[in-house]
Each structure stands twice: as structure tokens, then as C-alpha cells.
Amino acid sequence: MTAAQTIRAVTQRIRERSKAGREAYLARVDEAAARGVHRAQLGCANLAHGFAACNAGDKAALAGDAVPNLGIITAYNDMLSAHQPLESFPALIRQAAREAGGVAQVAGGVPAMCDGVTQGQPGMELSLFSRDVIAMAAAIGLSHNMFDAAVFLGVCDKIVPGLTIAALTFGHLPAVFIPAGPMTSGLPNDEKARVRQLHAEGKVGRAELLEAESKSYHGPGTCTFYGTANSNQMLMEIMGLHTPGSSFINPGTPLRDALTKEAAKRALAITQSGNEFTPVGRMIDERSIVNGVVGLNATGGSTNHTIHLIAMAAAAGIRLTWQDISDISDATPLIARVYPNGLADVNHFHAAGGMGYLIGQLLSAGLLHEDVRTVWGEGLDAYAIEPRLGENGTVLRERAPDTAHDPKVLSTVAAPFQPTGGLCVLRGNLGEAVIKVSAVKPERQAITAPALVFDSQEALQAAFKAGELNRDFVAVIRYQGPKANGMPELHKLTPPLGVLQDRGYKVALVTDGRMSGASGKVPAAIHVTPEALDGGMIARIRDGDMIALDARAGTLEILVDAGELAARAVETPDLSGNEHGMGRELFASFRHAAGRADAGATVFGP
């Protein structure tokens, strides 16, 4: 079976598996669309509340139910670099809506936390759950039923998946996602990582570390490495939720503003009042989801999306599995090298040809479904372009080149950086896990070594500082799953494990927690399912047990007699420290209700 045939076979089995749920979902979408948005039928008091703050012209338009109204859901705050540019977007969107004969209102705001700020802090235990909170907050904004379409302003880790879940829950409405773009390039990411390792070894102090971090994260826009935030932007474009070419244009530029206004006008053009009605629940289907998975693997994207994509698909009645993601990875070549999978940042990726080149390459090889609907119309081929600014602030698009501008950043399907994608599913008597191999050297993708077991990343850091880890070992960090403490990212592990690997030791990580898109050069089996607190075998590992991790074979095993493992008592650590402080007490019900990682780790029912 060819790679293209594999992609289509996986799509078909997803379609068959999802048939009942998808049909029920589409029936709800069609029923809601048939009811439409009829503001004139609202009670006078209801409608008066809905437009009380509008200017006279917008009020008159909304009172007569004569023009489409665009609901803006925004994740703006001015603490996050990626979301600070969104401050000016509502004004641009309102202006564009009026120019197009419509109205736009901010329907609601959603929270947006920064994993970069909360890494290693108690707040990180709220991070994954914030995705579902965002979905619910967006639903509250849209529940006023004042809107003919919605635009979603969000960028980073859990924000875009949460907004996507909300958009698909309101699948009868057209939905356009409007990105803010990456910050300009600062200190190279590999240099930042070098200083982090030096600090972990005690060779540089806090002042030097802070200087390096500040030169790397230095202005408005997303962080420039290819983590979850930029994987989000890739996904929104390749799934057709962005307008073509809009993902990686820097904030504060005329082209960025032009793209924002254009997206607002496009959202109004695809409402029921026009000729191109495109409800997002109909637009996003199994083909769109598979296109997203292909893009994730072709670019070496974030492991977080092995969780988020499953939850996003479920919101549209589609059942995606880790096996689907793994099989697509086997059929998808890695054709992008963006840090941590290479030295380039996302600005270099965009300059090398970016999304237009990437989509063109994958389409030419038959690895993407071209016959999809997007917010731009029919067919994904319209996205194989490069945008530029035309006269009078318009957006012009040219065909993306067939040859990348920098072959060290973007390769071809015929001569990829590696023949398979960046993600791999591991299976064995420890359960299932995900590993990101695109940044791990081939000779380090398999390791067999004794386990050293810790119940927190802080415990491993303390052992490292005490000089107790100068050996070959597999670090097992357990009780980090959704039910235990919200499944935080464990990036504080990266510098010490990287140091030990550079010293020549064979090291790996096994955890029921997360590492996200910044997973680097150390082999890391993450998202281990079932988690320790849910009866997972990871809870039975003891120091000295031999662990065999093999990304090439797709296996994760504890080399201990099955009878002995079954007889072992499970020692659950005191987890009361996860229950209070920094808002964690408010999320007890989330921890109790959270599903498995391989089912999206969501608190929403099936």
C-alpha cells in the first residue's frame, strides 16, 4: 500500500468508526442551522440588552435583523506575548464588518494562560484543564444567539484547541480563526537551550539565564520555536480554518492587519445571508482531521496534539485514535526542520516557503485530501500560496514555489529529512505512550536501562543536583496524569536529562505526564496510559527494574516477570499537595472526571 493509499484507508476507517456519532452530530447542526439566527424574533427586552452598547447605526441594523452579525471570541490579555497583539483586533474586525455591510460584537473573552510562565509551578496543573474551561467560556459568549458567524482570536497551547471544541459545538455557525503571528527572531533557540543546560550544571547564574531567556522571548507574538502554539497555527491553516497564508505573518505589520480585516469579511461572506453558507460543523469532517494529523507529522509538531486532536475531533462526532495518528505518521515523511527538530525558527520556516510550500508538497504526493471545504471555499489547493500586501491594504496571493528557499528548513516528499513523521505510539506491558522522535538521533531511539522512579520532577532535579544520576537509567516520573494532578508539562526535566545525555550516559524518560511540542533530544515516552492513579502498570515500577523503550519497534516494556508485577502492592504517594493553592482546589471535579490521555483527557462526556 502506498503512503497516499494509507492516508485514505485511515480516513475511511475513521469515517466508518465515527458513523453513528457523526450522523447524530450533523443532525443537531442541521437542526440548529434551520432555526437560524432571528434577532427580530427575540423579545424586545432581550434584543435591547443585546445591542444596548452599540452605536446608532449598528443598533438600527441589528434591530431590523437585516445584516449579519459577527461574534468575536477573544483570548486577549497583555501578559502573554502571543495574545497581546489581539488587543487591536476587535476594532479592525468592527471596521471590516461595517465595510462589508455587517456588524461585529465581542461576544466574550476566554482565559489564556502561558505554559512558559507556569512551567514547574503549581499553576501548570491547571494548564490542560484550561482547554475545556476555554471551550465552556466561549460557549457562554455564543449562547446569546445574536450571531450569524463567529471569529476566534487565540494562539497558544490549550487556547486554540479549546476554541476549536467550542466552534464545533456551535457547528451551525461559520467559524474563522484569526491568528496573531510569531514574534520576530531573537536569540537562537539552540543558544537558549545551551545556556539552560549550563545553568542546570551550575556553570552560569540566574542573571545570565534570565538575559538569554529575555533575548529569546523578547516581544509581541508567539514564541518562535515549533511547540504547541505554532503547531496550532499550522493545524488551523491546513484544516482550512484560517484564510490562506495567514498563520505566520508577524504582528504589528500592515499585512497582518490586512489579513485580519480580510478574515472578518470572509466570515460574513459565508453566513446564511450570502451564497456560500459554510457552517463549521459541516466544513470540518474526517478528511479535515486527517489533513491536520498529516501536517502535524510532516512538520514534527507538538505531542500535545495527540491529546488535543482527539478531543477536537470528538466535538464534531469523529472518533480519532492514537493508532490512526501512528499509522499516518508511518506514511508521512518529515519535510520540515524547525526547532527543536532543527536550528530554524518559525520565521525561517515561513521565509523558506512556509505553509504554502508545505501544503503544495503534500498535495502533490497525494498525502492530503484536496477535496475539502475550507473557510476560503472548495479545495485545499487554494492554500498552496504565499500572501503579500497589495495596493490599498489588500491581500494578494501568489502560487507557492515548487522549490524551497532554504532546503535545510524545508525538504521534499521525495527526499525528506526522515521517511516517517515525528510521532510514534509505543505499546507494551506498561500500556500505551507517545514519543516524539523527530528531534532524537536514530542511535538514541532505543534504550534498555534500569529504572529510577520519582513521583515529581522536583525529586529528579534534586537527585541531579546531588550528583546521584551519573549513570545509564530510565527516569520514571509517575502520578502526573490528568486524574493525579492535571497532567502538567514536565519541561524542568529537559535540561538535567540533556546534560546527562551529553555526558555520554544513556538516558530516557517514561511518564504519565506531558512534555509538549518542545520535547527535545532525550527519548521521552509520555502520556503513558493508563496513568498511575488509574491503575496503570507505571505505578508498579520499582528502582532497578529494567525498562526497554524502542521507538523503532514501537514498544515500551518493563522486563519483570508478569506474576511478580501483579503481586506488587501499589504505593500511592501523598497527593494532597496537588489539591490546593493557585486555584487547584477549584479543579477537583475536573481531576475526578478527566478521561484518559488517549481519549483526549477531557472532562466532557462521549
Side-chain angles (χ1 to χ4, degrees):
M1 186 180 292
T2 67
Q5 289 171 331
T6 297
I7 299 301
R8 277 144 187 79
V10 172
T11 306
Q12 182 58 28
R13 81 179 183 216
I14 294 171
R15 184 178 291 117
E16 292 170 356
R17 181 194 307 132
S18 307
K19 187 174 187 296
R22 179 68 174 165
E23 288 178 351
Y25 169 79
L26 290 176
R28 295 193 298 270
V29 167
D30 292 345
E31 180 185 5
R35 289 197 301 268
V37 179
H38 302 292
R39 284 175 295 278
Q41 296 179 18
L42 288 176
C44 292
N46 303 79
L47 191 56
H49 279 292
F51 60 51
C54 292
N55 64 32
D58 290 349
K59 234 179 234 190
L62 293 176
D65 197 28
V67 300
N69 187 23
L70 193 56
I72 304 168
I73 300 292
T74 178
Y76 162 73
N77 66 55
D78 63 9
M79 190 273 290
L80 272 67
S81 64
H83 291 80
Q84 185 275 338
L86 299 176
E87 181 177 18
S88 64
F89 280 29
L92 290 170
I93 293 167
R94 290 189 197 98
Q95 179 187 351
R98 289 170 184 142
E99 291 173 359
V103 177
Q105 296 177 290
V106 173
V110 302
M113 68 181 295
C114 179
D115 289 0
V117 176
T118 57
Q119 288 292 346
Q121 303 297 317
M124 174 51 76
E125 296 180 17
L126 310 186
S127 174
L128 180 58
F129 293 146
S130 76
R131 180 197 65 195
D132 293 358
V133 171
I134 288 161
M136 292 187 284
I140 290 170
L142 294 175
S143 69
H144 295 100
N145 200 26
M146 287 279 293
F147 311 107
D148 300 86
V151 293
F152 295 87
L153 312 181
V155 180
C156 287
D157 299 71
K158 266 53 71 183
I159 296 113
V160 168
L163 292 175
T164 304
I165 292 169
L168 291 168
T169 302
F170 284 76
H172 62 288
L173 295 177
V176 178
F177 281 63
I178 305 180
M183 69 178 67
T184 55
S185 300
L187 185 73
N189 285 293
D190 59 327
E191 176 62 14
K192 173 195 67 181
R194 186 186 70 84
V195 176
R196 283 181 177 178
Q197 286 201 183
L198 289 173
H199 182 262
E201 294 179 275
K203 294 179 179 178
V204 302
R206 177 181 169 85
E208 292 87 350
L209 178 63
L210 182 57
E211 181 182 11
E213 299 286 356
S214 298
K215 286 180 178 178
S216 181
Y217 308 118
H218 64 89
T222 61
C223 307
T224 60
F225 68 90
Y226 194 53
T228 310
N230 287 314
S231 296
N232 283 338
Q233 305 315 301
M234 180 281 301
L235 278 174
M236 292 299 98
E237 185 155 347
I238 208 166
M239 290 172 64
L241 286 162
H242 280 173
T243 56
S246 62
S247 294
F248 296 114
I249 306 300
N250 300 122
T253 61
L255 181 55
R256 175 84 279 156
D257 289 349
L259 285 162
T260 297
K261 293 183 67 176
E262 179 192 62
K265 293 179 179 179
R266 185 60 191 168
L268 291 170
I270 59 177
T271 64
Q272 278 184 305
S273 61
N275 297 320
E276 299 181 73
F277 182 42
T278 310
V280 69
R282 280 279 176 190
M283 188 191 93
I284 295 296
D285 63 11
E286 295 87 353
R287 295 167 298 177
S288 310
I289 297 294
V290 167
N291 283 351
V293 178
V294 170
L296 189 71
N297 279 289
T299 57
S302 172
T303 56
N304 271 327
H305 281 296
T306 61
I307 295 175
H308 296 323
L309 271 167
I310 290 173
M312 291 156 63
I318 298 168
R319 291 178 57 200
L320 179 72
T321 69
W322 278 0
Q323 186 62 55
D324 299 328
I325 296 172
S326 181
D327 289 349
I328 291 171
S329 179
D330 289 344
T332 304
L334 181 74
I335 62 173
R337 283 287 192 199
V338 191
Y339 189 86
N341 309 318
L343 297 181
D345 67 22
V346 293
N347 292 307
H348 303 137
F349 166 79
H350 181 72
M355 290 301 300
Y357 172 84
L358 177 81
I359 290 171
Q361 272 290 309
L362 295 172
L363 281 173
S364 67
L367 296 174
L368 292 174
H369 294 282
E370 199 283 328
D371 58 335
V372 291
R373 294 178 72 184
T374 74
V375 298
W376 203 243
E378 295 291 339
L380 193 61
D381 188 64
Y383 284 72
I385 56 87
E386 289 185 340
R388 63 181 179 87
L389 191 66
E391 295 181 4
N392 302 319
T394 59
V395 179
L396 300 179
R397 291 176 170 86
E398 300 172 345
R399 191 72 185 176
D402 294 328
T403 303
H405 300 304
D406 187 344
K408 294 181 180 179
V409 179
L410 280 167
S411 187
T412 65
V413 170
F417 295 116
Q418 68 182 44
T420 58
L423 299 173
C424 178
V425 174
L426 305 176
R427 290 185 176 84
N429 62 0
L430 276 176
E432 290 187 273
V434 173
I435 185 169
K436 182 175 179 178
V437 295
S438 50
V440 179
K441 291 182 178 180
E443 64 270 22
R444 291 175 174 158
Q445 292 181 10
I447 176 176
T448 299
L452 290 179
V453 181
F454 304 91
D455 294 328
S456 70
Q457 61 180 337
E458 291 78 15
L460 182 142
Q461 287 179 298
F464 173 75
K465 291 177 181 178
E468 299 171 357
L469 301 182
N470 293 308
R471 62 177 103 168
D472 296 347
F473 70 99
V474 173
V476 178
I477 317 295
R478 59 192 184 184
Y479 294 99
Q480 305 297 309
K483 291 184 182 297
N485 63 350
M487 205 180 191
E489 291 180 357
L490 304 175
H491 279 302
K492 293 294 183 181
L493 299 173
T494 303
L497 292 176
V499 167
L500 293 166
Q501 184 171 268
D502 289 349
R503 289 175 180 171
Y505 299 111
K506 295 179 180 179
V507 296
L509 172 67
V510 173
T511 180
D512 49 8
R514 293 184 295 128
M515 288 289 280
S516 100
S519 301
K521 61 188 182 182
V522 175
I526 60 177
H527 308 173
V528 170
T529 303
E531 64 173 284
L533 198 61
D534 204 23
M537 187 61 72
I538 190 173
R540 298 179 185 273
I541 302 176
R542 299 290 182 264
D543 283 347
D545 289 345
M546 296 301 291
I547 305 294
L549 183 164
D550 191 336
R552 295 186 291 263
T555 56
L556 180 63
E557 300 278 350
I558 176 172
L559 305 181
V560 176
D561 177 74
E564 179 185 342
L565 284 174
R568 284 181 179 176
V570 174
E571 298 177 3
T572 304
D574 180 5
L575 300 176
S576 61
N578 303 331
E579 297 173 358
H580 303 280
M582 289 297 165
R584 288 178 290 181
E585 47 269 78
L586 301 177
F587 284 80
S589 60
F590 278 61
R591 290 190 293 272
H592 294 153
R596 289 165 47 129
D598 59 352
T602 179
V603 300
F604 305 136

